[in-house]
Amino acid sequence: MTPFESVSALKEQMSKSIIGQEKLIDTIVLVLLADGNMLLEGLPGLAKTRAINALAKNLDCGLSRIQFTPDLLPSDITGTEIYLPNEAEKFMFQQGPIFSNLILADEINRAPAKVQSALLEAMEERQVTVSGKTYKMEELFMVMATQNPIEQEGTYPLPEAQMDRFLVHTIIGYPDDDAELEIMRLNKREAAPHTAKTTIKTIPQQAIFDSRKEISQIKVSEDMEKYMVSLISASRYPEKYDAELAKLIDFGASPRGTIALDRCSRVHAWMQGRDFVTPEDIHGVIKDVLRHRIAVSYKGRAENITADQIIDKLIEVVAVVA
């Protein structure tokens, strides 16, 4: 199979166990192909954990699940050195759960900042440093962190520095009635004692690496590059575009946002079967890319203005470079 066919097969297999969340499947695969990390926000029971499990089940890779709790320690994530009294080498590094291909950081905002920060080096530099020694992560590596938007007690909001390390911030909602009916039926089929186990043909990791090579060849015209930069600039200096918009933004996206927009746009174009980026590709990913990189002002929050509404306004006021 070609890399595109392999990725299409991966999405098709995932969709068999994730009902009513097609956008979520597309976004998870997009982040994987873009070699980034993902922050997923949604109410309980919306298949956040099931989604990453479905990816690991259909891709030839490892999965580690870390349940974040207030008493978690950084060493519980990265690993620690253990003492070996009868060995010449007295200390040996015992790897933590971060050393895998796919990392599910479940309810990441339930752990304090020092534990959340233990992920930063792995997410950005793809390495972990313990006792002065550096240990490299797997070549295929992605963190998918989840958080519940409605619970505040016993949670620690993620600092802006860590939020910026996530390539995308995706919000998922309830499925429609038809999808919910199919979810109920799927659950009953899976729970039935006579259900036959089917052998799943997993997609090799090499298919992801080959896809990334093709994505690196996606053409981005100078006009599209300027359009992306203009959108980011408008989030920083909104007063140049719209006086009312300026009152709704405290600060805009960092250069990391520009890089993320470019990477995700190229992946989106490739997944649509194109070898060049269009404005539709940029618009298709911009909310997930900028949602966590734009700080809504006090006035905006008082008026119940969301980051998504601000991004819609940015698209409206910034002209597409022709």
Side-chain angles (χ1 to χ4, degrees):
M1 288 194 295
T2 66
F4 185 83
E5 290 172 339
S6 296
V7 170
S8 297
L10 175 62
K11 290 167 55 181
E12 183 180 352
Q13 288 296 327
M14 291 177 64
S15 65
K16 293 180 181 178
S17 57
I18 309 295
I19 309 298
Q21 298 288 5
E22 291 77 11
K23 177 70 164 58
L24 173 59
I25 294 172
D26 286 342
T27 304
I28 290 177
V29 174
L30 182 146
V31 173
L32 181 66
L33 293 175
D35 196 16
N37 304 294
M38 177 179 185
L39 178 61
L40 181 58
E41 185 175 312
L43 297 170
L46 294 181
K48 298 186 296 293
T49 303
R50 187 180 177 94
I52 194 73
N53 285 333
L55 176 60
K57 183 172 67 174
N58 292 285
L59 186 64
D60 183 19
C61 66
L63 169 66
S64 285
R65 180 182 181 275
I66 307 171
Q67 178 63 55
F68 279 63
T69 56
D71 61 345
L72 201 67
L73 297 174
S75 58
D76 294 330
I77 296 174
T78 61
T80 187
E81 289 190 327
I82 59 176
Y83 179 61
L84 304 173
N86 300 322
E87 302 293 333
E89 191 72 33
K90 292 296 185 182
F91 289 92
M92 181 186 74
F93 178 63
Q94 181 70 46
Q95 292 185 348
I98 194 70
F99 288 91
S100 190
N101 299 118
L102 305 179
I103 312 299
L104 172 60
D106 211 1
E107 296 185 301
I108 188 173
N109 56 335
R110 286 199 172 277
K114 66 178 181 179
V115 179
Q116 296 173 8
S117 64
L119 283 174
L120 291 181
E121 186 180 13
M123 288 169 58
E124 190 72 9
E125 282 81 35
R126 302 303 171 89
Q127 65 184 29
V128 166
T129 303
V130 177
S131 299
K133 294 182 180 179
T134 299
Y135 304 90
K136 295 292 185 182
M137 315 305 298
E138 299 282 350
E139 185 178 3
L140 183 71
F141 178 80
M142 183 179 83
V143 173
M144 191 185 93
T146 70
Q147 63 179 12
N148 183 343
I150 61 171
E151 293 184 345
Q152 302 301 323
E153 187 175 350
T155 62
Y156 303 81
L158 271 65
E160 285 76 7
Q162 184 170 346
M163 293 281 283
D164 206 29
R165 302 294 178 102
F166 288 101
L167 185 71
V168 304
H169 175 199
T170 299
I171 298 176
I172 58 173
Y174 292 120
D176 59 33
D177 290 353
D178 291 338
E180 188 113 14
L181 183 62
E182 185 55 36
I183 290 170
M184 183 173 61
R185 291 169 177 170
L186 174 63
N187 180 262
K188 286 191 287 188
R189 289 197 298 269
E190 291 178 342
H194 61 274
T195 301
K197 297 280 186 178
T198 57
T199 303
I200 298 174
K201 186 177 180 180
T202 57
I203 304 299
Q205 291 187 25
Q206 189 59 43
I208 302 300
F209 301 139
D210 291 342
S211 298
R212 288 175 179 174
K213 288 180 181 178
E214 291 188 1
I215 290 165
S216 68
Q217 303 302 314
I218 295 293
K219 302 178 186 68
V220 184
S221 68
E222 185 176 351
D223 286 345
M224 289 300 98
E225 289 177 336
K226 289 180 177 178
Y227 180 50
M228 285 188 267
V229 170
S230 295
L231 287 166
I232 299 297
S233 179
S235 75
R236 300 172 187 165
Y237 312 108
E239 64 277 2
K240 295 181 180 179
Y241 296 84
D242 187 272
E244 283 302 313
L245 182 62
K247 299 175 183 177
L248 303 177
I249 301 176
D250 271 345
F251 61 84
S254 70
R256 203 181 265 134
T258 311
I259 295 169
L261 189 56
D262 171 67
R263 286 166 59 186
C264 291
S265 297
R266 285 188 283 115
V267 176
H268 189 277
W270 183 84
M271 291 174 68
Q272 299 300 316
R274 290 192 298 274
D275 64 352
F276 59 93
V277 170
T278 68
E280 287 71 26
D281 296 312
I282 298 171
H283 297 164
V285 300
I286 190 171
K287 287 186 178 179
D288 285 345
V289 169
L290 297 188
R291 182 180 286 126
H292 56 307
R293 293 184 165 99
I294 293 177
V296 183
S297 69
Y298 176 80
K299 173 181 170 59
R301 295 194 302 273
E303 296 177 3
N304 293 321
I305 302 296
T306 65
D308 284 11
Q309 291 172 305
I310 290 175
I311 294 169
D312 284 333
K313 188 65 176 178
L314 291 175
I315 295 172
E316 180 184 326
V317 300
V318 177
V320 178
V321 180

